[in-house]
Amino acid sequence: MSMGIPFNPSEFVSRAIENIRGIVGGEMAVAACSGGVDSTVATYIAKMALDDRLKTVYIDDGFRREGEVEETLRILGDLGLNPILLDRKSLFYRNLKGVIDAERKRRIFRETFYNVIGDFMKSNGIKFLVQGTIAADIVETKGGIKTQHNVLEQIGVDYGFKVIEPLKELYKPQVREVARYLGLPREISEKMPFPGPGLLIRVVGEVNPKRIEIVRKATKIVEEELRDVDAFQKFAVLLPGRATGIRGGKRKYGYMIAIRVVVSEDAITADPLEIPFSKLRSIADRITSEINDVVRVLYELTPKPPSTIEFE
């Protein structure tokens, strides 16, 4: 759907409900919901269309932010979506062990994610999957920029079930309009974008529980310190390799964290945000004092393009 055409969320929701009912008929469907605005809007519309013939699944892959799993389950429960938790942390870590290449990490995540979903669907005799793929996901994947894990049929990937993508023609601003129209809480409609693979792609290089925990702690600090900063995304990234630092008057060979804060309308282009030095210094002081393994903090300034918003 073109960004230049006036968008009517009421008409869109009506068409989406009709389309979902037409595809699913009298059968059941599964919705994969992470609690982000895209997947929650898609799941909520599917619930309106199918009622008790929809099962909502939330996969704990081990790459969520601090407290995010519990908070998401609470919000989805309050919305009447009754999420089913599938704890597969150990499976994801096992499949990603030793993997460094960014695209390979994304594809292994995709394969693991949809194998988990597929196993659940087979065990329940369900063949329809609803997910929150939006236009920007498809543009980046088909353009060869980077694989978005939730883009399947557009690139010929088949996991043996029918994928329903009610939002695939919308960009993020339009999805937020739909969320507001549906009356979803601000903690959903205005939620900052967070990648499907989560902190996995905010660790450059190999992923393991220790490295994820470092970036998880740094992410919490960045979000707390920049709580009042209006940005499209604001996050921490664990860089590869180590750097020399000082702890207790002695040499400490520790990790490096990069901070990225950008403004964007549709995630297709983005610009770095100018953050006051005092705020950056506060973030650096907290990260290096609260995370003993980190000795350096950097602020990343590259727009998109030539970079992408995420590092991986």
Side-chain angles (χ1 to χ4, degrees), residues 61 92 105-113 196-197 200:
D61 47 37
F92 278 88
K105 287 198 301 186
R106 282 180 172 271
R107 287 169 182 165
I108 289 173
F109 179 89
R110 179 181 67 194
E111 290 167 11
T112 306
F113 183 92
L200 162 67

Side-chain angles (χ1 to χ4, degrees), residues 164-177:
I164 303 172
E165 299 169 317
L167 311 181
K168 67 182 179 181
E169 296 181 352
L170 305 188
Y171 286 87
K172 188 73 70 175
Q174 296 166 322
V175 178
R176 294 195 191 282
E177 282 190 59

Side-chain angles (χ1 to χ4, degrees), residues 94-106 108 200 205-207 312:
R94 184 167 65 249
N95 289 352
L96 286 157
K97 186 175 181 179
V99 180
I100 295 175
D101 179 74
E103 270 297 279
R104 191 173 169 220
K105 287 198 301 186
R106 282 180 172 271
I108 289 173
L200 162 67
E206 184 179 1
V207 171
E312 292 267 73

Side-chain angles (χ1 to χ4, degrees), residues 28-66:
M28 296 188 67
V30 166
C33 190
S34 68
V37 61
D38 303 334
S39 65
T40 304
V41 167
T43 301
Y44 197 83
I45 291 174
K47 183 70 171 177
M48 295 171 68
L50 304 175
D51 197 16
D52 59 0
R53 290 187 291 115
L54 181 77
K55 289 183 180 290
T56 302
V57 169
Y58 180 92
I59 298 176
D60 183 0
D61 47 37
F63 307 129
R64 303 300 105 188
R65 289 169 289 190
E66 187 169 314

Side-chain angles (χ1 to χ4, degrees), residues 103-151:
E103 270 297 279
R104 191 173 169 220
K105 287 198 301 186
R106 282 180 172 271
R107 287 169 182 165
I108 289 173
F109 179 89
R110 179 181 67 194
E111 290 167 11
T112 306
F113 183 92
Y114 286 107
N115 284 335
V116 169
I117 288 280
D119 288 345
F120 177 85
M121 294 175 68
K122 288 176 185 176
S123 66
N124 286 274
I126 300 173
K127 59 185 179 182
F128 298 102
L129 175 68
V130 179
Q131 61 180 27
T133 310
I134 65 172
D137 300 328
I138 298 170
V139 168
E140 288 202 329
T141 301
K142 293 184 72 175
I145 297 171
K146 58 186 177 184
T147 299
Q148 297 293 349
H149 84 284
N150 58 349
V151 177

